[in-house]
Amino acid sequence: MRGTKILLGVTGGIAAYKSAYLARELVRAGADVHVVMTEAAAEFVQPLTFSALTRHPVALEMWHRDQSTESEIGTRHIHLATWCDIMLIAPASANTIAKVAHGLSDNLLTVLALACRRPLVVAPTMDADMYLNDVTQQNLGVLRQRGVDIIPPAIGEHASGLMGPGRLPDVEVIIEFVRKLVDGRHEDLRKKRVLVTAGPTYEPIDPVRFIGNRSSGKMGFAIATAAAKRGADVTLVTGPVHLETPRTVDRIDVETAHEMHRAVLAAAKKQDVIIMAAAVSDYRPSKPSGQKMKKMSAEAALDLHLVTTPDILAEVGRVRRRGSVLVGFALETENALENGRAKLTKKQLDLIVVNAATKDNPVFGSDRNTVAFIDHAGHVDELPAMEKIEVAHRLLDRIVALRA
Ligand code: CTP
């Protein structure tokens, strides 16, 4: 870890004393460590302990009474957010996790977590009941979705006497986690421009009704998260979804296939990689009503006249930059591989991800997915069921190999 700049955030809790060992071991491993503490943490461990171990003053307060210039007000220590290679919050209390998940920034530690664009690692540490509470789990889910790395807590006896998860893992486990992130954070897409589409499109029938589909957007968001972590400059064009924007990703919200078409084509030419995971509606009502449509009579049937939407992927295939990689998705309920292969050829893709929607692989809304990759040379790679974020990384591995 020689030369790695680590910003260690310490929050209040009995485990704060273990962070002193953590700081010492990080320094021994060659890292340059700065510590930021919350007020509560400083109740458990003297800041002096950390400054002695890291040989840097501990960042504690946002405001200083002895401000010499006005420009220093509020910007004190904020440079630590851009200085660091990694920010590690260990122990991370339930309170700090909740604040970071919701963008609250009422102390220096949470300000830095909010401002930091580098990888953020969080080690949740709290009583087992607090850890298992739905609210805490939801907050951790929000962080995970945004690409924050969570070190799973250890299970054991707590200071309160409770047994269960929520203990700070051994210092060696945390260091190993950080080391893997530093080594394994092969930023193999560093500065590469990656465009991802996600979610469904909504095609209006009238001002209150639309034709849509069950896509949750999770697969596209997982790809955007993974690509951003691997150093890419990611643009995410998404239809209507209920998902958090992954950290450092530029998000463009659209509703209809036409809007998605416009946004994607405006950005397509400058991309190194384009991954079209959106479930774009193939049809739209030809003349959406300006007013809410009234029910006619109880017996009368309603005919909707539909026209096709632009095939965005096929068009991108024609205008994309030479040397760029174009990936499409195929959702199939029958003859998945055969249909996938046909789409790959027809839309001039480098790779297609085939989803076979079955009872065992619901695809839409699930956090897991079972897919196969088919490349332009006809090579088929069938993956077992796995988390969508893992599918995303496997896909990016294939893309990096194709680029090479
Ligand atoms: N796609 C697109 N624009 C559309 C329809 C689909 O860009 N109007 C993209 C999707 O994002 C996906 C791929 O095309 O990457 C395949 O989508 P899919 O609906 O499975 O294929 P279609 O070509 O529409 O064929 P079909 O619906 O007949 O299976």
Side-chain angles (χ1 to χ4, degrees), residues 197 257 260 275-282 309-314 327-332 343 346-347 349 352:
T197 66
M260 187 171 278
I275 305 169
M276 308 276 279
V280 186
S281 175
D282 287 330
T309 57
D311 189 328
I312 309 169
L313 182 55
V327 179
F329 272 68
L331 178 69
E332 305 295 343
K343 280 180 195 170
K346 197 174 108 204
K347 301 195 185 187
L349 311 179
I352 193 155

Side-chain angles (χ1 to χ4, degrees), residues 7 34-36 57 59 77-85 108 112 116:
L7 177 57
H34 270 265
V35 173
V36 53
H77 299 307
I78 191 86
H79 71 277
L80 287 173
T82 44
W83 164 84
C84 67
D85 297 318
L108 188 55
L112 289 169
C116 180

Side-chain angles (χ1 to χ4, degrees), residues 132-155:
L132 293 172
N133 193 304
D134 280 353
V135 173
T136 304
Q137 290 303 316
Q138 275 165 20
N139 289 336
L140 287 169
V142 167
L143 292 182
R144 223 175 259 121
Q145 253 181 34
R146 268 199 224 127
V148 173
D149 284 294
I150 316 276
I151 307 183
I155 299 170

Side-chain angles (χ1 to χ4, degrees), residues 246-262:
R247 295 174 85 231
T248 75
V249 165
D250 283 329
R251 170 173 175 164
I252 302 171
D253 286 288
V254 297
E255 203 163 288
T256 63
H258 266 284
E259 287 170 13
M260 187 171 278
H261 177 247
R262 205 176 314 129

Side-chain angles (χ1 to χ4, degrees), residues 30-316:
D32 190 8
V33 181
H34 270 265
V35 173
V36 53
M37 299 175 84
T38 61
E39 223 174 276
E43 294 287 327
F44 286 92
V45 186
Q46 276 293 320
L48 193 59
T49 309
F50 285 104
S51 48
L53 290 168
T54 63
R55 302 201 180 85
H56 292 298
V58 169
L60 268 170
E61 291 177 46
M62 288 230 277
W63 321 111
H64 261 239
R65 270 175 273 281
D66 62 346
Q67 298 294 341
S68 45
T69 63
E70 249 186 42
S71 65
E72 277 185 39
I73 297 174
T75 59
R76 213 182 150 82
H77 299 307
I78 191 86
H79 71 277
L80 287 173
T82 44
W83 164 84
C84 67
D85 297 318
I86 288 179
M87 180 170 183
L88 163 67
I89 310 180
S93 64
N95 185 38
T96 292
I97 287 168
K99 286 187 201 173
V100 175
H102 297 281
L104 298 177
S105 47
D106 61 350
N107 59 34
L108 188 55
L109 189 150
T110 46
V111 164
L112 289 169
L114 193 61
C116 180
R117 288 176 72 88
R118 307 300 302 158
L120 177 61
V121 184
V122 166
T125 309
M126 63 203 74
D127 227 35
D129 286 346
M130 291 171 78
Y131 177 73
L132 293 172
N133 193 304
D134 280 353
V135 173
T136 304
Q137 290 303 316
Q138 275 165 20
N139 289 336
L140 287 169
V142 167
L143 292 182
R144 223 175 259 121
Q145 253 181 34
R146 268 199 224 127
V148 173
D149 284 294
I150 316 276
I151 307 183
I155 299 170
E157 192 176 353
H158 292 256
S160 64
L162 265 181
M163 287 290 289
R167 284 171 54 87
L168 187 72
D170 287 342
V171 164
E172 296 71 39
V173 173
I174 300 177
I175 300 229
E176 194 45 34
F177 193 99
V178 174
R179 197 192 298 278
K180 270 198 189 138
L181 199 70
V182 173
D183 300 341
R185 194 190 66 211
H186 42 272
E187 290 200 333
D188 49 7
L189 288 169
R190 187 159 186 74
K191 294 275 165 235
K192 294 287 167 270
R193 295 209 183 95
V194 176
L195 175 75
V196 183
T197 66
T201 62
Y202 286 179
E203 311 302 330
I205 297 171
D206 68 18
V208 295
R209 305 180 180 96
F210 59 83
I211 295 177
N213 60 66
R214 296 181 198 279
S215 169
S216 65
K218 284 181 180 173
M219 192 61 242
F221 274 61
I223 295 168
T225 303
K229 274 200 161 185
R230 293 164 78 148
D233 292 332
V234 182
T235 306
L236 174 62
V237 180
T238 178
V241 294
H242 301 280
L243 295 172
E244 299 283 334
T245 309
R247 295 174 85 231
T248 75
V249 165
D250 283 329
R251 170 173 175 164
I252 302 171
D253 286 288
V254 297
E255 203 163 288
T256 63
H258 266 284
E259 287 170 13
M260 187 171 278
H261 177 247
R262 205 176 314 129
V264 167
L265 283 175
K269 280 195 186 137
K270 43 180 198 269
Q271 304 299 325
D272 298 298
V273 178
I274 302 174
I275 305 169
M276 308 276 279
V280 186
S281 175
D282 287 330
Y283 292 94
R284 66 176 175 84
S286 56
K287 286 197 187 79
S289 162
Q291 304 300 329
K292 186 180 168 209
M293 287 163 65
K294 292 286 176 205
K295 188 160 129 185
M296 300 301 189
S297 69
E299 304 82 39
L302 172 69
D303 286 326
L304 271 181
H305 185 249
L306 305 178
V307 290
T308 54
T309 57
D311 189 328
I312 309 169
L313 182 55
E315 234 174 281
V316 169

